[in-house]
Amino acid sequence: MALSSLRREDRPAAGSGVVARQAIRAGSHRGATAGLAPGYVQGNLAILPNALAADFLQFCRLNPKPCPLIGTSAPGDWRVPELGADLDIRTDLPRYRVWKNGELVAEPEDVREFWRGDLVSFVIGCSFSFEEALMAEGIEVRHIVRGCNVPMYRTTIATQQAGPFHGPMVVSMRPFTPRDAIRAVQITTRFPSVHGAPVHIGKPELIGIEDIGKPDYGDAVEVRHDELPVFWACGVTPQSVIATVKPEFCITHYPGSMLVTDRKNTEFAIM
Amino acid sequence: MALSSLRREDRPAAGSGVVARQAIRAGSHRGATAGLAPGYVQGNLAILPNALAADFLQFCRLNPKPCPLIGTSAPGDWRVPELGADLDIRTDLPRYRVWKNGELVAEPEDVREFWRGDLVSFVIGCSFSFEEALMAEGIEVRHIVRGCNVPMYRTTIATQQAGPFHGPMVVSMRPFTPRDAIRAVQITTRFPSVHGAPVHIGKPELIGIEDIGKPDYGDAVEVRHDELPVFWACGVTPQSVIATVKPEFCITHYPGSMLVTDRKNTEFAIM
């Protein structure tokens, strides 16, 4: 049904998750999703063959801080109704990455031609949700102010293994003054299903980060003399872990091109 | 009424606040109150002439983190029924300090002979409450393990002035690993009326502490290489502020000899 055929009061609100997905599906929005549909949850995507689904589900259950699962599909089904009634996981992200045996084989704008009857979709919460809550409280998030990607680091913190899935936790880092760091612990504690409270604060060397100025993913940001680096479990962890497993087939979102859902960030606050 | 005349089911429970106060009042418990009546709130005491009461109340209202007021008396009244039905503030602390014009003039075990019809009692929450919550979650509190006093420091953090009351915030310090520091922020956030969340973490120099090994009050404790110093607003702040005002008369508790109340620590948890 075309939007124009809906009565006005039935049309989705401008700026909503569904309108963002429609624009992406129609090809009128391309590229990064940061800033799209403010207030709506965005998610990391991993699509795996059903043969790996049970192990990956278990991995997420055992590692809820880096892998907060917010939606899954039935095998072969491209819908994820818990995240959006009209959602089609094959078309609703701006760009994807397709992997075969651990090799990147394509970066298409939709994956209908790659679809298989045994694929299961996993949508994992993302830090956009808690960053919105931090900024709503007046806390400056450096990489957002700078307009770059959050710096991310592989750590010596091990994840809990499930089947073939294991490997180090990846963390994202945001620098804050001690006062804001304490406030950030409080605010992000309210969002356990989108990474929750930090996993580390100060002293990067204790988690195996040798040079805070050289992130393994994303961009470096300055940590000022009156600031502490604060580290959160990062949704890049499952992608990093999947990469080491080299599944015969898998699809992930292209970095920065997330799934925009119909769930509100505020729904994920526990208080 | 003597305890022995009560029916068994009416007798206060062993280990309760009222039993601790009865032992102190009878002179059978002397000295520090740490560890007495576990689970019951203990408080710092300041008794001031009524002429200063409005300003001091305002000071507490403006500075709730260092001065969390948990009980007050009517002028001249030695009872504080909100903290214990039988409570007599003149006799129920193991030891007091009596001050005239800022000079320490006595350290008696009861203050009945010093009582005046214009005195107002202020009972201020103490960190024993949140330390109990930390230990209940398995977090080691260094100075308790060491059996010494918590280290306390005068800082460059100013309090909000009210009448003659003003001066720097005093903080207490507990060292924790980053993981426990994050957990400690979460746990103490639940207790806003007994100092609440930390006011600072890491980097003591940012709040004017030059040498963490040389506290202004209490005892030094080790901060290990894998730990951060975590700082809470301290109930010594109002005593330090009162000392600078040099009121013509005032009574405080003797360090470590706190008021044991009938309120439970858990009553003060907001969630």
Side-chain angles (χ1 to χ4, degrees):
Chain A
M1 181 163 57
L3 270 185
S4 56
S5 71
L6 289 172
R7 280 174 299 136
R8 192 174 186 287
E9 58 269 35
D10 291 335
R11 286 187 206 162
S16 66
V18 61
V19 166
R21 282 197 310 280
Q22 286 164 345
I24 291 165
R25 198 182 302 156
S28 60
H29 178 91
R30 293 163 196 268
T33 53
L36 211 58
Y40 289 88
V41 172
Q42 298 197 19
N44 301 281
L45 176 65
I47 303 177
L48 290 169
N50 196 28
L52 287 168
D55 283 337
F56 191 69
L57 268 174
Q58 179 74 334
F59 182 78
C60 292
R61 190 186 70 78
L62 291 172
N63 298 283
K65 292 197 92 165
C67 308
L69 206 53
I70 59 169
T72 58
S73 73
D77 195 342
W78 51 79
R79 297 171 304 165
V80 188
E82 63 192 303
L83 300 180
D86 70 319
L87 195 159
D88 183 334
I89 204 76
R90 304 168 304 171
T91 58
D92 285 7
L93 282 75
R95 190 175 289 275
Y96 301 78
R97 282 182 160 174
V98 180
W99 309 78
K100 289 189 177 165
N101 302 310
E103 296 285 318
L104 182 63
V105 296
E107 293 186 338
E109 293 189 351
D110 86 56
V111 291
R112 281 177 291 189
E113 65 175 294
F114 296 96
W115 199 256
R116 305 186 343 187
D118 70 334
L119 294 181
V120 180
S121 297
F122 298 89
V123 182
I124 289 163
C126 131
S127 56
F128 289 177
S129 301
F130 74 69
E131 287 174 345
E132 184 179 89
L134 291 170
M135 290 185 292
E137 306 250 357
I139 295 177
E140 179 190 302
V141 180
R142 181 77 29 87
H143 71 274
I144 294 176
V145 172
R146 287 267 316 280
C148 65
N149 287 321
V150 71
M152 293 166 273
Y153 307 83
R154 291 167 73 90
T155 68
T156 50
I157 305 171
T159 57
Q160 293 286 311
Q161 181 161 4
F165 297 106
H166 73 282
M169 187 187 292
V170 178
V171 297
S172 60
M173 187 281 287
R174 294 159 190 81
F176 293 116
T177 62
R179 174 192 287 262
D180 281 351
I182 291 164
R183 195 82 191 99
V185 171
Q186 294 176 316
I187 293 165
T188 60
T189 293
R190 299 173 58 225
F191 294 90
S193 44
V194 282
H195 301 311
V199 294
H200 192 71
I201 182 168
K203 297 186 182 285
E205 70 279 9
L206 294 180
I207 55 171
I209 298 171
E210 283 169 22
D211 186 346
I212 199 81
K214 292 183 179 163
D216 296 302
Y217 313 93
D219 302 311
V221 301
E222 182 192 10
V223 181
R224 297 179 186 144
H225 83 281
D226 62 345
E227 293 178 329
L228 299 170
V230 186
F231 301 91
W232 277 267
C234 178
V236 166
T237 307
Q239 292 188 45
S240 153
V241 162
I242 290 169
T244 67
V245 171
K246 300 191 197 320
E248 49 91 7
F249 185 78
C250 117
I251 299 170
T252 61
H253 67 281
Y254 182 89
S257 290
M258 318 295 280
L259 174 67
V260 184
T261 77
D262 287 354
R263 304 286 301 273
K264 293 285 201 96
N265 287 328
T266 48
E267 284 180 60
F268 287 79
I270 56 167
M271 55 184 168
Chain B
M1 181 163 56
L3 272 183
S4 56
S5 71
L6 289 171
R7 281 174 301 137
R8 193 174 185 285
E9 58 269 38
D10 292 335
R11 285 186 208 165
S16 67
V18 61
V19 166
R21 282 199 308 281
Q22 286 165 343
I24 291 165
R25 198 182 303 155
S28 59
H29 178 90
R30 294 165 196 264
T33 53
L36 211 59
Y40 289 88
V41 173
Q42 299 197 18
N44 301 280
L45 176 65
I47 303 177
L48 290 168
N50 195 29
L52 287 169
D55 283 336
F56 191 69
L57 267 175
Q58 179 74 335
F59 182 79
C60 292
R61 189 185 71 78
L62 291 172
N63 299 282
K65 291 197 93 164
C67 307
L69 206 53
I70 59 170
T72 58
S73 73
D77 195 341
W78 51 80
R79 296 171 305 163
V80 188
E82 63 192 302
L83 300 179
D86 70 318
L87 195 159
D88 184 334
I89 204 75
R90 304 169 304 173
T91 57
D92 285 5
L93 282 75
R95 188 175 290 276
Y96 300 78
R97 281 182 160 174
V98 181
W99 309 78
K100 289 189 177 165
N101 301 310
E103 296 285 320
L104 182 62
V105 296
E107 293 186 337
E109 293 188 351
D110 86 58
V111 291
R112 280 177 291 190
E113 65 175 295
F114 295 96
W115 198 254
R116 305 187 342 187
D118 70 335
L119 294 181
V120 180
S121 296
F122 298 90
V123 182
I124 290 163
C126 129
S127 55
F128 289 177
S129 300
F130 74 69
E131 288 174 344
E132 183 179 89
L134 291 171
M135 291 185 291
E137 305 250 357
I139 295 177
E140 178 190 302
V141 179
R142 180 77 31 85
H143 70 274
I144 295 176
V145 172
R146 286 267 317 278
C148 65
N149 287 322
V150 70
M152 292 166 274
Y153 307 84
R154 291 167 74 90
T155 68
T156 50
I157 305 170
T159 58
Q160 293 286 313
Q161 180 160 4
F165 297 106
H166 73 284
M169 187 187 293
V170 177
V171 297
S172 60
M173 188 280 287
R174 293 159 190 81
F176 293 115
T177 62
R179 175 191 287 259
D180 281 352
I182 291 164
R183 195 83 191 98
V185 171
Q186 294 176 317
I187 293 165
T188 59
T189 294
R190 299 174 59 225
F191 294 89
S193 44
V194 282
H195 302 309
V199 293
H200 192 71
I201 181 168
K203 298 187 180 284
E205 69 279 10
L206 294 181
I207 55 170
I209 298 172
E210 283 169 22
D211 186 347
I212 200 79
K214 292 185 179 162
D216 296 304
Y217 313 92
D219 302 310
V221 300
E222 183 193 10
V223 181
R224 297 177 187 147
H225 82 282
D226 62 346
E227 294 178 327
L228 298 170
V230 186
F231 300 92
W232 277 265
C234 178
V236 166
T237 307
Q239 292 187 44
S240 152
V241 162
I242 290 169
T244 67
V245 171
K246 300 190 196 317
E248 50 92 4
F249 184 79
C250 113
I251 298 171
T252 62
H253 68 281
Y254 183 90
S257 291
M258 318 295 279
L259 175 67
V260 184
T261 78
D262 287 355
R263 305 287 299 273
K264 292 284 199 98
N265 287 327
T266 49
E267 284 180 61
F268 287 80
I270 56 166
M271 54 184 171

